[in-house]
Amino acid sequence: MKFGVLVFPGSNCDHDAYWTASKVLKQPATLLWHGSHDLENCDAIIVPGGFAYGDYLRTGAIASFSPVMESVRKFAAGGGIVIGICNGFQILCESGLLPGALMRNVGLRYVCKPVHVRVENADTPFTNACKPGAVLEIPIGHMEGNYFCDDTTLADLKRGNRILFRYVNPQGEATAQANPNGSLENIAGIASEGFNVLGMMPHPERSAEAILGCSDGLRVFQSLAGAMVKA
Amino acid sequence: MLNDMLNKMPNATIAASAAITPQLLKDHGITADEYARIEAALGRVPTLTELGIYSVMWSEHCSYKSSRVHLKRLPTTSARVVQGPGENAGIIDIGEGWACAFKIESHNHPSFIEPFQGAATGVGGILRDIFTMGARPVAVMDSLRFGPVSADGVGHRKVDETTIHRNHSILDGVVRGVASYGNCFGVPNVGGEVKFEYCYSGNPLVNAFALGLVKIDEIFYAKAAGVGNPVIYVGSKTGRDGIHGATMASEEFSEGSEAKRPNVQVGDPFMEKLLLEACLEAMQTGAIVGIQDMGAAGLTCSTCEMGARGEVGIEIDLDKVPQRETGMNAYEIMLSESQERMLLVAEKGREEEVFAVFRKWGLDAVTVGVVAAAPRLKVFEHGQLVADIPNTSLTDDAPLYHRPVGTWQPPVPHDIPANIQLTASGDQTSALYRMLAASNISSKRFVWQQYDSMVQTNTAEGPGGGDAGVIRIKGTNRGLAMALDGNGRWCYLDPSLGAKHAVAEACRNVVCSGALPVAATNCLNFGNPEKPEIMGQLSAAIDGMSEACVALDTPITGGNVSLYNETLGEGIYPTPVMGIVGIIEDLNHLTHMHFTQSGRAVLLLSASTPADSATAVREFGSSDYAKEVLGTLWGTPPALDLASEVRLQRCLLQLIQSQVLDSAHDCTEGGIAVALAECGFRYGVGARVNLASNGKPLEVTLFGETASRIVLSCDQINVPRIQQVGVEYGLSVTVLGETVPDTLEISVEGTVAVAADVSGLRDRFEAALPQALAADSALVAGD
């Protein structure tokens, strides 16, 4: 049950994910340097939030060419569990591990606030500790979280039940007002075809302890730990 | 090797002298008297590079030449203070092996000229001040001042559309700049304040505060030591940006100041993040002797200050300095304020350990000089000595001015103007709505929602949530609370009393969250010190601040002075801003401001003896109600008795620690009516209360800003205990009423004066700032 948290130059949620995995979830965890191909036999890879390579060129674009991402692509191709959070989601899209892209928020501003997301599919390694339709409070903090994909991809995502989280209001309704960034169909997180890769804009590590105001985000980590025990 | 090269030219002759003309001195902001001192210190005519070095080191910004004699009156020590003023940041012992480094610094002038980069590099500069001490920055806050963003409630001055539009643009640029730097760097913004007054239109204030954590035995200092040790340059390459930034920050603005835009530095937060990680990692090698960031006055300041602190010399070879542009001369390299650079002294022979860390992070690290025995700054370029200056002539022996201190008399009436009628009865609900929409009271969500307030997963109370920002310290059950406060309008009416209020209120805010205030940092924003009345303001504010910091046991461990905050001869309100840091020993004591459920008792804990009606009305002239609703200003700030304030804060902390309270909220801007409304916003819980008027007009009872008062809520069964503790501290504990669902109803002497839905009040509170900015559609797109 070993977590590996990638560290790119400019990652700034790497230590947060590491803390949640190792101290809150109490699982073995290690930091993995972007310049190395070695995933150190980790069972799950977290691509953390931040500004990898300064987000120059385009968010996540440069990181996708890093040596460690070559290994992550191979790992994912073999069914390995990968979760990209915020900038990590952007990197996974740029790396081709997830479809679509994250555009600039409709408000053209960085937005940091707690939002509600609804669990659309609870039968995945990332959500199995949640009830289907559960509403979780998890914060966002991003400038480019406006998910977009073409119609064919959207149809694929829906058909495969691969939309795992949608932005909703506290009552669980996916309204326009509950959408903080203009994402297509209020999409907050999607999975790969094999359900081993997740990308999500909200930061579950930021609501994983009561002292932070909410611990709903811990469910995502607990799901992962549960999934790995089963595996 | 560089070392050898420097050794081969110990007797190199100095480069040609500059052709000194009155115009050259004027361009460098050096007076004739100051020039005479330069010649005396050197024993000859300076080179142009030397003249440039003196001009920045002796600028107001770097030398504090007008304020130093007064700053000496501030208290700076306590059992907790590990490092007081004089280093890059102050440091206090916070227990369990941890220390925290913190400081506040201004970036006012650059933020007016180029709001985005000015504000961004303000954040960048204060962050470097923290991590250069070995501390990882864990929180930032900002105290911002702008001109009016709407024509309503600008007080006693009229403001035109062009000015309002420009104020919008400055606010937007500053907020985006703060956000862009802090968000990318990865430090949470946990609070701060934003206020609006007419006087800040041509001179906004951007005061950036940062706090970092360091193990108490792993602190680094900006001190050079060890003759022969290498001096290493790390971080960004040097360009021509920011040359004479410190000198610019020491002048008044006039028409054409915008042309100084090239003096403003350009920030790269990604580079700073790499520099942070690399510096902290390099410090772990044990090979670093001393380290200082290159901020104002860049390479000049870092070399001579590190040398001066260590009583050694530093010799540098500019040919080795990484440069972004070609053809830069010694003058430009020494005065560049390019961002994200550090200078460090390493142990001789261990350079490679340091280089390896910086290589890993993809950063330049180059030996540019050597520590020498003679306490001088020697600068070589192309094998020639271009500057050779005794360190202390640049630092300790910089000019010190005892500028004439006049008396400040605010040009406002002492008593309420005859045309203003206050009332004894009537419905004040619409006045409360108006107050909640007032620019100094309304929600600043538009601002702080653009800041990452949660990165690092330590934020226990973020912006908009409480009176102070709170972070937990991982691996302990402790927290740190921090608050910024400053009331320029009150300081304008009475600089000493206003400064006392800033200290008292920031401390009160910190106590409301459950923390013991333990230390302070200050940012003194004033006008032109060459005017005796401005020096009168500065001197009085320092006296008031000093008295309050002694009373509240919060020594000042560092800070910053920003003078010449004037545009076209008109000064800002004297605006001392206080940053207070407090320790929460047990995070179970963390307390919030919000009413949590209905049926709880609502109390007012007060240390103020009720003023007579005439005094209360005189004090009312300084209130936000007077500014916002009456559009005028008179009288004095509220009286403040520091001994009572201390008792109030000790009592509140005891009540919080004995866990008998549900919530605690400081009652200040907008008075008790606004405080009660704010308590209800998070959970939609209101209150039904009755207030005594003590013969005061209705507006004064509701919106008066009498000091030293806290709104509490608690379980009814705890009321007697709270009253008993209050009496023990010599305070009054008044039961105002109880919390109720959804509505706020405030009676005065039994007659309802305010009745409103909490949600309606909150909507007005939240909508005011976005609506004011809506005049510029580009500013409010989306959320």
Side-chain angles (χ1 to χ4, degrees), chain B residues 642-661:
Chain B
L642 286 168
S644 306
E645 179 70 38
V646 169
R647 281 187 279 114
L648 175 87
Q649 295 188 15
R650 293 203 177 134
C651 175
L652 177 60
L653 194 57
Q654 184 182 325
L655 291 171
I656 286 173
Q657 289 175 345
S658 51
Q659 299 189 299
V660 292
L661 302 180

Side-chain angles (χ1 to χ4, degrees), chain B residues 94-106:
Chain B
I94 54 172
E96 294 190 40
W98 285 100
C100 86
F102 65 100
K103 193 166 84 166
I104 189 167
E105 203 162 78
S106 64

Side-chain angles (χ1 to χ4, degrees), chain B residues 584-766:
Chain B
I584 301 179
E585 298 265 348
D586 177 351
L587 277 170
N588 291 316
H589 298 156
L590 174 63
T591 301
H592 305 279
M593 64 183 262
H594 310 281
F595 295 149
T596 53
Q597 53 182 298
S598 51
R600 311 296 265 194
V602 177
L603 313 176
L604 185 70
L605 180 67
S606 172
S608 294
T609 40
D612 61 82
S613 186
T615 307
V617 168
R618 190 176 309 123
E619 293 177 353
F620 197 55
S622 68
S623 68
D624 273 290
Y625 186 93
K627 175 190 179 225
E628 186 71 20
V629 180
L630 304 174
T632 189
L633 188 62
W634 73 86
T636 60
L640 176 66
D641 179 65
L642 286 168
S644 306
E645 179 70 38
V646 169
R647 281 187 279 114
L648 175 87
Q649 295 188 15
R650 293 203 177 134
C651 175
L652 177 60
L653 194 57
Q654 184 182 325
L655 291 171
I656 286 173
Q657 289 175 345
S658 51
Q659 299 189 299
V660 292
L661 302 180
D662 287 359
S663 70
H665 181 32
D666 182 25
C667 179
T668 46
E669 282 105 338
I672 193 162
V674 166
L676 287 165
E678 288 173 342
C679 288
F681 289 161
R682 182 176 287 182
Y683 300 110
V685 176
R688 185 174 294 118
V689 300
N690 183 46
L691 308 176
S693 75
N694 298 311
K696 295 191 294 284
L698 191 54
E699 295 92 333
V700 178
T701 303
L702 290 168
F703 304 111
E705 297 174 355
T706 302
S708 312
R709 296 183 299 166
I710 315 267
V711 174
L712 308 175
S713 75
C714 67
D715 191 323
Q716 303 278 1
I717 61 167
N718 291 328
V719 172
R721 168 109 185 262
I722 294 167
Q723 285 175 317
Q724 186 197 333
V725 174
V727 167
E728 284 166 15
Y729 280 91
L731 305 170
S732 77
V733 181
T734 313
V735 179
L736 302 180
E738 62 172 2
T739 57
V740 297
D742 308 326
T743 57
L744 178 63
E745 185 185 293
I746 305 174
S747 300
V748 176
E749 299 293 346
T751 304
V752 174
V754 170
D757 286 342
V758 172
S759 61
L761 295 170
R762 180 176 51 204
D763 289 349
R764 187 70 68 87
F765 174 76
E766 291 292 348

Side-chain angles (χ1 to χ4, degrees), chain B residues 349-477:
Chain B
R350 297 186 65 182
E351 295 91 333
E352 186 49 39
E353 293 172 57
V354 176
F355 294 157
V357 172
F358 285 90
R359 241 187 341 260
K360 173 186 161 189
W361 289 96
L363 298 175
D364 277 324
V366 185
T367 300
V368 296
V370 63
V371 177
R376 302 177 76 84
L377 168 62
K378 288 191 180 187
V379 181
F380 295 88
E381 183 195 35
H382 311 320
Q384 184 169 35
L385 186 60
V386 292
D388 181 5
I389 307 175
N391 288 327
T392 49
S393 86
L394 294 170
T395 56
D396 298 351
D397 297 341
L400 192 60
Y401 291 141
H402 294 264
R403 294 199 189 274
V405 176
T407 307
W408 166 246
Q409 284 293 346
V412 298
H414 188 250
D415 289 303
I416 186 168
N419 62 331
I420 292 175
Q421 301 295 318
L422 299 175
T423 59
S425 62
D427 184 63
Q428 295 290 321
T429 306
S430 63
L432 177 58
Y433 273 107
R434 174 108 186 247
M435 289 300 289
L436 289 169
S439 59
N440 284 343
I441 291 171
S442 67
S443 169
K444 304 302 180 296
R445 183 183 304 273
F446 172 83
V447 172
W448 51 254
Q449 201 164 264
Q450 297 184 55
Y451 304 153
D452 190 338
S453 55
M454 305 179 200
V455 63
Q456 300 191 17
T457 62
N458 295 321
T459 308
E461 187 68 271
D467 290 329
V470 178
I471 57 154
R472 57 99 178 255
I473 302 172
K474 283 187 176 123
T476 74
N477 196 31

Side-chain angles (χ1 to χ4, degrees), chain B residues 31-60:
Chain B
T31 66
D33 286 351
E34 288 171 350
Y35 177 71
R37 293 183 56 160
I38 293 171
E39 268 201 17
L42 295 176
R44 57 179 165 77
V45 175
T47 65
L48 188 63
T49 303
E50 288 172 332
L51 191 70
I53 289 172
Y54 273 105
S55 81
V56 291
M57 289 307 295
W58 285 11
S59 70
E60 190 65 58

